Each structure stands twice: as structure tokens, then as C-alpha cells.
Amino acid sequence: MRLGTLLRSTGLVLAAVVGVGLATPKTAVAAADIDRYLDLPLSNRDAEQGPGGVNPELPYGRAELGRLLDEARAERVPPTRYAALLYQYWLVDVTERAGIDLRSWDPRAGVAANRDNLVKSYRYYENLQLDHRELQWAGMGGQVGADFGGGLIDFELMSTAYSLPGIAESARAVVDSVTRTAGPDAVAQLPDGLAALARAGSRITPGDLSYILGMILVMQKNIFSDLMPMHDAYVVGGLPALAEFQAAGLFGDDIMGAWRDVASGDGERVAAGNRTLLRREQQWVVGRQWDDLRAYRGDVGTAITYLTGAAGSPSVAGVRPMREFRPVRVPFTAADGRPMTLTLPLPDWNWSDFESRWDYINSELLPKYRNQLENDWPALEAALRTPYDIQMESKRPLLNIPQLLRSAAAELSVAPAQEAGNAS
């Protein structure tokens, strides 16, 4: 009896020892797994450093990322320490839902290599709007993405056959027309981008266009990578999932408040929340990248970023093209001493400048998209359901730039200063 008791006791002790021996390495391995992914920097958050996700050390398996997150939460790791892991999880989740391979997503590979990613990302934006009426940022982004994608296709053609457009000659024709009409002093009042285009257009190389194209594609991925994980978390996990983003330091009180507005069901708050998300996109996400592009090689960057606005015609119903919003108006004195104003059907602002860009977005895109969404949903829905390849191919503006510039020179108008002021 004592022997049996002893054996049973010994067996229990051995089992306990063996159990502890087996459990300890497992716990250590789990801790080691978590430790490896804590405190990682978001080194590729802006999509500039290379293909893939937010840090090259992170895995791409959704299940593995989810397990690691669960372990971090179970061990009460502060969310700020697993911010990169959380970000990567939702970025992997949303790219899988959109049908995009995040690991190989390389913006600098060019438009041909990224065409499917463009179509799939913007199609996903529009599907979010179709399924969730409050996700207005996504719907408007999807519509404008068709104009963006069409322009990128043209950019790639220009980078391989730049002799085709004859842009510099057309820009110089505009400047010459202004000089003849209003004198050389008027030329100094032309937009920097137009003047830069006349000076440097003939020096723009295919390499310049290729670099700028790559950076614009970087911005496209950057916007998706920042806003879409939030949208995915909202759809899948609601506001509690977004509260974890905030706790991790991935965004602040302003964006959390914006998402509460989006989820409120109140029309004014929904619109305000989407407006805040759009401002984040344009100012915080890509503002610095647009500034860097405008500064690229002096006149070259200024000229090409100006072209993006001169050529643009957003698809949102009722929105004026950029060239009709704040067109070039140059005051001058006529030979008989009368104050006059010369007007050109070209923008007097550069799309890459945040304040000018936001003025246009806030005055044109936001109110007119909201108006269509609230007052003509069937027409908007039909536009959003159009196959995305068709939406994108119908927007090919840049190859028409020479004709647009020549038309601007021909359509230059002069009126007494008071009349021109009334027309604005």
C-alpha cells in the first residue's frame, strides 16, 4: 500500500516535473516570438523604403500575425509596443480582402506591374462605399482614383516615348502669347509651374518621368496602407478595433473622433468625420511627399506637378476641372492706360501645394460628392458599379496636354479689370 502510494506520488511528481519541463519551453518560445516583434519601427509606413508591409521583420501570414497579437494581448503588453504588429495584421487582412499580394507590392516597379493593384485597390474603395453608405472617403477616393490611374498610364507612356508630347513648345507658346498681349511684366505673374514648364520642359528626361511616376505610385500605396487598415478594422471590429489603433499610437484623438462621427448615423457628423479622414490623407499621409516631388530637380518637379493639376478633371459629378478653379488672371495696364485683366484657362495654383489642393478639395470635391450621395444615389451607385478597368481607361488626360496648352494660348482673353473681377 505504501509502495503503491509512493509510486503514485512519485508518478505525480514526475508528471508535474515533466509537465513543467514541457510547458516552460513553450511559454519561453511564445515570449520569444512576441519579443521579436515588439518595439519595431514603422520603417516602411510611407511605402518609400521598398515593397511589402510596414517593417521587413514582420511576417505576412494573417493567422500567424493574429496569434502573435493574441499572445501580446494575453501577456498585457502595452499596445504601443506591438503597434507595428497590429498595423501589419490589418494591412495584411485588407490587402487579402482586396486581392492584393502585399509582400510583392512594389510601387517603383511601374504602372504595368502595378495595374492590377491599382484596379483592385480602387475597386475595393468603391465596394466599401456601396456596402457602407457612411464610408464616403472610400467612395470618393475610388472615383477620383480612376482619374489618377488613367493619368499614371499616360505618365508611363510619356516616360518611354517622351518626344511625343511636345509639351515645352506648347508652354512657350502660352508665354509668348501672354507677352504679346500684356507685355513682359505679365510673364512674371504667371504661375511658377507654367513658367517652369516653358523653361525646363525640353530638359525633362524619361528618367525624370520614371522617377516621378514611381513616387506617385508610392503615394498611392501610402494612402491605401494608412486609411484602408482603419476602414477594414471598422468594418470587421467596429470602434473597439479602432480604439486599439489609438492606444497603440497609430493615430490620435482627432482620427478616433472622426471614426466616432463616421459611425454616428448623423449626416452632419458622418460628413465631418470623412472630411477629417480626407484631410489626414492629403496633409499627413502624402503632404511631405508632394512637397518633395515639387522640389525635385528644381524646375522639373515644379513643371510636372503643375501638369498634374492642369490636366486633371475629377470624375465626381459637378466638379470643375482644376484649370477652371482659380484660373490664371494677370492684371496689366493697356496702352491707353486702362486697367485690364488677362485670363488663361489654366490653373494659377499647383496641385502639389497642400493649401491650394485642400482649398479645391474642400470647395469642389467634398460638397459635390456629398450632394450626389445624398440626393442622387442611383446615379452614383451606377458609376461606382462600372467595371474599374473601364473607369480608369476612360480617364487618360496627360497625352492631351499639348493640345490643352495650345488651346489655352488661343483662348487667352482680355477684359477690363472690373469685368474680369465680376466674372470670378
Side-chain angles (χ1 to χ4, degrees):
M1 185 70 177
R2 290 176 184 171
L3 180 60
T5 302
L6 177 64
L7 288 173
R8 284 195 297 275
S9 300
T10 304
L12 290 171
V13 170
L14 287 172
V17 170
V18 170
V20 169
L22 292 174
T24 301
K26 183 176 180 182
T27 303
V29 168
D33 280 353
I34 295 168
D35 288 345
R36 178 182 174 188
Y37 300 113
L38 296 182
D39 305 312
L40 288 177
L42 303 178
S43 55
N44 197 35
R45 182 173 189 161
D46 62 6
E48 284 191 37
Q49 306 310 310
V54 297
N55 185 296
E57 299 299 317
L58 289 165
Y60 287 89
R62 182 182 175 281
E64 182 182 3
L65 289 164
R67 176 182 64 79
L68 290 166
L69 274 177
D70 287 342
E71 290 174 3
R73 293 166 182 144
E75 295 201 8
R76 300 183 183 278
V77 175
T80 51
R81 299 194 64 199
Y82 62 80
L85 187 63
L86 178 69
Y87 195 160
Q88 182 87 345
Y89 171 83
W90 287 108
L91 183 55
V92 165
D93 189 66
V94 74
T95 48
E96 286 185 1
R97 291 175 189 274
I100 295 169
D101 178 25
L102 177 61
R103 188 194 299 265
S104 64
W105 190 355
D106 180 7
R108 288 195 171 89
V111 176
N114 280 283
R115 185 188 177 99
D116 281 351
N117 292 337
L118 288 168
V119 170
K120 289 175 180 177
S121 59
Y122 290 128
R123 177 73 271 162
Y124 191 76
Y125 285 17
E126 292 188 339
N127 286 344
L128 282 174
Q129 174 70 103
L130 289 166
D131 295 338
H132 304 273
R133 193 73 70 91
E134 73 273 24
L135 299 183
Q136 297 167 13
W137 176 90
M140 192 173 76
Q143 276 211 305
V144 174
D147 315 303
F148 178 83
L152 289 175
I153 294 169
D154 284 352
F155 246 123
E156 187 152 86
L157 285 175
M158 290 166 70
S159 71
T160 57
Y162 183 68
S163 60
L164 176 63
I167 288 174
E169 295 79 1
S170 301
R172 283 195 291 270
V174 174
V175 173
D176 290 344
S177 183
V178 170
T179 304
R180 288 193 303 271
T181 304
D185 289 345
V187 174
Q189 300 180 62
L190 292 175
D192 290 344
L194 181 57
L197 195 57
R199 288 192 301 266
S202 59
R203 301 201 309 271
I204 298 172
T205 69
D208 291 330
L209 291 173
S210 180
Y211 172 80
I212 289 173
L213 174 66
M215 277 305 302
I216 293 175
L217 284 164
V218 162
M219 286 191 274
Q220 189 268 335
K221 183 184 177 187
N222 189 8
I223 292 169
F224 183 101
S225 298
D226 184 77
L227 272 298
M228 279 296 102
M230 297 183 210
H231 280 71
D232 190 38
Y234 170 80
V235 170
V236 174
L239 293 178
L242 289 166
E244 189 174 24
F245 276 62
Q246 183 184 23
L250 293 173
F251 55 65
D253 293 345
D254 59 334
I255 301 304
M256 192 67 229
W259 279 108
R260 291 192 183 99
D261 286 341
V262 168
S264 69
D266 177 89
E268 291 301 320
R269 289 184 62 190
V270 170
N274 279 280
R275 181 181 183 275
T276 299
L277 295 179
L278 182 53
R279 188 176 180 97
R280 175 185 173 89
E281 170 204 336
Q282 293 297 327
Q283 184 173 26
W284 191 86
V285 179
V286 296
R288 189 265 308 165
Q289 290 174 326
W290 271 121
D291 289 343
D292 289 349
L293 264 190
R294 189 173 64 256
Y296 170 76
R297 288 194 59 208
D299 279 348
V300 170
T302 303
I304 294 178
T305 52
Y306 178 76
L307 280 182
T308 63
S313 297
S315 298
V316 176
V319 171
R320 289 181 290 173
M322 286 83 152
R323 58 188 170 273
E324 294 179 15
F325 180 78
R326 280 177 31 206
V328 175
R329 289 195 172 94
V330 179
F332 71 99
T333 302
D336 59 6
R338 289 182 302 155
M340 306 292 285
T341 299
L342 177 150
T343 301
L344 281 170
L346 292 171
D348 77 345
W349 54 286
N350 191 312
W351 174 259
S352 66
D353 174 72
F354 169 71
E355 294 299 336
S356 297
R357 183 168 72 250
W358 185 249
D359 184 24
Y360 178 76
I361 289 169
N362 206 34
S363 301
E364 290 286 324
L365 286 170
L366 275 170
K368 290 174 181 175
Y369 184 81
R370 182 184 177 187
N371 178 66
Q372 189 176 27
L373 183 141
E374 294 180 351
N375 299 310
D376 196 4
W377 173 254
L380 177 58
E381 181 181 17
L384 295 174
R385 292 193 185 281
T386 302
Y388 210 83
D389 272 317
I390 294 174
Q391 291 185 53
M392 197 164 69
E393 282 296 331
S394 67
K395 302 294 179 180
R396 300 285 300 276
L398 289 174
L399 290 181
N400 294 323
I401 283 287
Q403 296 94 315
L404 186 150
L405 291 171
R406 287 194 292 272
S407 174
E411 294 175 17
L412 176 152
S413 64
V414 173
Q418 187 175 3
E419 291 180 20
N422 293 336
S424 63

